[in-house]
Amino acid sequence: MEKFYIKGGTTLNGEVKVSTAKNAILPILAGAILCDGVVTLNNCSKYSDVNYMVKILTELGAVCKFQDDVLTINSSVADKFYISDEYTKKVRSSIFMLGPLVARFKQAKVAYPGGCNIGTRPIDLHIKGLQSLNVKIEEKHGYIYCDAKNISSGEVHLDFPSVGATENIIMASVFCKGVTKIYNAAKEPEIEDLQNFINAMGGKVKGAGTSTIEIEGVKKLHSVNYTPIPDRIITGTYLIACAVTGGKVCLTNTNHLHNTALISKLKQSGCKLQLKNDKIIIEVGHKLKSIPKIETLPYPGFPTDLQSQMLTLQTICKGTSVIIENLFETRFKIYTELTKMGANIIIKDRMALINGVKSLYGANVTAPDLRSGAGLVIAGMCAEGYTTINDIYHIDRGYLNIENDFNCLGADIKRIEG
Ligand code: UD1
């Protein structure tokens, strides 16, 4: 088991390139099963979640090869529609395979997904969406069985704009004759990226980024060379890290339009930000003000995936802050760990009340999930003394050697065995 050993009290300065979005790559990898040829993905960052999805594709019979960070997938030779629980337990996005499998093979058998331990994470919207396309679904013995021999285009009304359900339904309907419409679709940039990827293979999807998406069925999808979008959650994590430690950081390969909710909060706190075409520069030279209220919401609201990092920032700001988590019910697990570091946080149901303290101190803590783990790395960099973070495998699911990026900017983080 690897750990991080962090010497606190460093500020961050310099330039760092943001890697490609995990949450864009994962549905695109699922969508590769739709391709009757070869998918070439550039800048395909090898997050551990991505490696697991590649293993799933291989289990289905696709031939996947990494050459540096270029991944090629020949899924035209895939011949299986069954995914065992060996990998689905490890990566929640395995649920995205349902849509492409029913589109391609007209049947699927997928074990229930795992993923970050941040709440119950039901899949009812995925199931109802597929049923609206005439897919028969049975759930038994921990597996979801889909019979899609009569799959057809249709109208899907999502009760909630679920990212995964929206992506799954888009992929399921790609080959359905006629037009499928998704109402109350999620609007995340990663959905628009999936649309662009499918259209680059010859698909006909429009409306992603708005709440109504239309998918006109095509007969087949051809080979493609595609570069997914940069990771807005990594961008946000690094901006918050600089806000916490102080300093001046320039992030490249980023799109500030994907982070407007965070940027407005950081400005409100007192951070100076310069927004350029594909760059963001943040400069922080003094103690920041608390944000009175932050509430997580579907895009373009404040992202739940930046809530733990923002909570970490609020622990050392001047004043009191309330954070309301609307998406995942157990996403405040970082608070017990931050409390060990001297933070003053009260949790009541889906609300956290944070009274800013002068400073945090180093402690032996454990990453409870991916984004909380990132929040703890940020806390460790600003704390007095040394912090050890256990269970950093959670962090590797969505950050590519986070310690290297922060060390390049002046942090002192060691990855150690133990
Ligand atoms: C995606 C992201 C994840 C992010 C989340 C919300 C990926 C790989 N993961 O996850 O990082 O935190 O969006 O921005 O892109 N829900 C249901 N029934 C369902 C599906 C979802 O009730 O069938 C609920 C969930 O419990 C949650 C809300 O809808 O409260 C949002 O979940 P969803 O948008 O589906 O998140 P994911 O796609 O799992």
Side-chain angles (χ1 to χ4, degrees), residues 219-367:
K219 290 231 162 72
K220 61 184 193 173
L221 297 179
H222 54 69
S223 297
V224 70
N225 187 315
Y226 195 76
T227 306
I229 54 172
D231 197 308
R232 66 192 163 96
I233 304 303
I234 294 182
T235 293
T237 302
Y238 291 4
L239 290 176
I240 295 171
C242 183
V244 169
T245 64
K248 183 173 178 183
V249 169
C250 172
L251 301 180
T252 62
N253 188 40
T254 186
N255 183 346
H256 64 87
L257 296 174
H258 293 167
N259 276 100
T260 53
L262 171 68
I263 286 168
S264 93
K265 297 285 178 221
L266 291 176
K267 282 185 177 164
Q268 206 181 324
S269 295
C271 301
K272 276 197 206 143
L273 284 138
Q274 290 176 54
L275 311 176
K276 311 217 165 155
N277 232 355
D278 62 346
K279 270 188 196 169
I280 305 177
I281 300 169
I282 179 166
E283 192 171 359
V284 181
H286 54 85
K287 196 160 180 80
L288 298 176
K289 291 191 299 258
S290 291
I291 305 290
K293 186 177 158 210
I294 301 163
E295 196 166 347
T296 64
L297 289 168
Y299 188 84
F302 193 90
T304 175
D305 285 355
L306 288 175
Q307 182 260 101
S308 302
Q309 302 87 317
M310 198 59 172
L311 195 151
T312 304
L313 171 60
Q314 300 311 303
T315 64
I316 52 131
C317 283
K318 211 168 147 193
T320 300
S321 176
V322 170
I323 300 186
I324 301 165
E325 171 56 58
N326 288 310
L327 276 91
F328 296 111
E329 65 271 27
T330 59
R331 210 166 197 184
F332 281 135
K333 288 188 177 157
I334 191 173
Y335 106 95
T336 43
E337 306 306 300
L338 287 176
T339 305
K340 291 180 197 161
M341 301 177 77
N344 181 344
I345 307 168
I346 297 165
I347 302 286
K348 176 81 177 128
D349 302 326
R350 285 172 176 249
M351 197 174 81
L353 176 73
I354 307 121
N355 284 306
V357 294
K358 201 161 158 266
S359 58
L360 298 176
Y361 42 81
N364 188 340
V365 294
T366 299

Side-chain angles (χ1 to χ4, degrees), residues 23 92 121-126 160 162-164 305 327-328:
N23 288 354
R92 181 175 162 82
R121 305 193 82 171
I123 51 165
D124 56 312
L125 300 172
H126 299 248
F160 184 88
S162 154
V163 176
D305 285 355
L327 276 91
F328 296 111

Side-chain angles (χ1 to χ4, degrees), residues 58-231:
T58 308
E59 193 182 28
L60 293 171
V63 177
C64 306
K65 270 192 211 130
F66 260 115
Q67 190 152 32
D68 300 321
D69 63 356
V70 178
L71 173 64
T72 51
I73 305 153
N74 180 357
S75 51
S76 64
V77 290
D79 55 356
K80 295 186 190 66
F81 49 84
Y82 159 68
I83 307 175
S84 67
D85 65 357
E86 187 185 348
Y87 301 123
T88 59
K89 272 192 304 216
K90 299 213 167 78
V91 51
R92 181 175 162 82
S93 41
S94 49
I95 192 68
F96 298 152
M97 295 304 311
L98 275 184
L101 287 177
V102 296
R104 162 106 183 244
F105 296 108
K106 308 285 175 263
Q107 53 187 326
K109 178 184 170 191
V110 176
Y112 270 94
C116 240
N117 185 15
I118 52 175
T120 48
R121 305 193 82 171
I123 51 165
D124 56 312
L125 300 172
H126 299 248
I127 305 279
K128 276 192 220 156
L130 293 175
Q131 284 169 334
S132 305
L133 303 181
N134 238 351
V135 178
K136 282 201 186 114
I137 300 184
E138 257 195 291
E139 297 174 69
K140 53 183 185 191
H141 313 305
Y143 282 87
I144 305 153
Y145 293 80
C146 299
D147 169 357
K149 55 179 174 296
N150 296 321
I151 190 169
S152 58
S153 53
E155 293 200 342
V156 180
H157 295 258
L158 289 174
D159 292 334
F160 184 88
S162 154
V163 176
T166 303
E167 292 168 337
N168 231 335
I169 298 158
I170 293 174
M171 294 189 278
S173 55
V174 152
F175 299 134
C176 292
K177 202 169 167 202
V179 175
T180 295
K181 288 190 183 174
I182 308 174
Y183 296 103
N184 198 25
K187 299 179 201 156
E188 271 68 1
E190 293 77 16
I191 297 171
E192 215 174 327
D193 208 36
L194 178 65
Q195 165 180 282
N196 293 342
F197 167 71
I198 293 173
N199 290 348
M201 295 191 289
K204 288 189 178 166
V205 185
K206 64 180 187 194
T210 75
S211 56
T212 306
I213 299 177
E214 288 187 19
I215 306 105
E216 190 183 331
V218 294
K219 290 231 162 72
K220 61 184 193 173
L221 297 179
H222 54 69
S223 297
V224 70
N225 187 315
Y226 195 76
T227 306
I229 54 172
D231 197 308

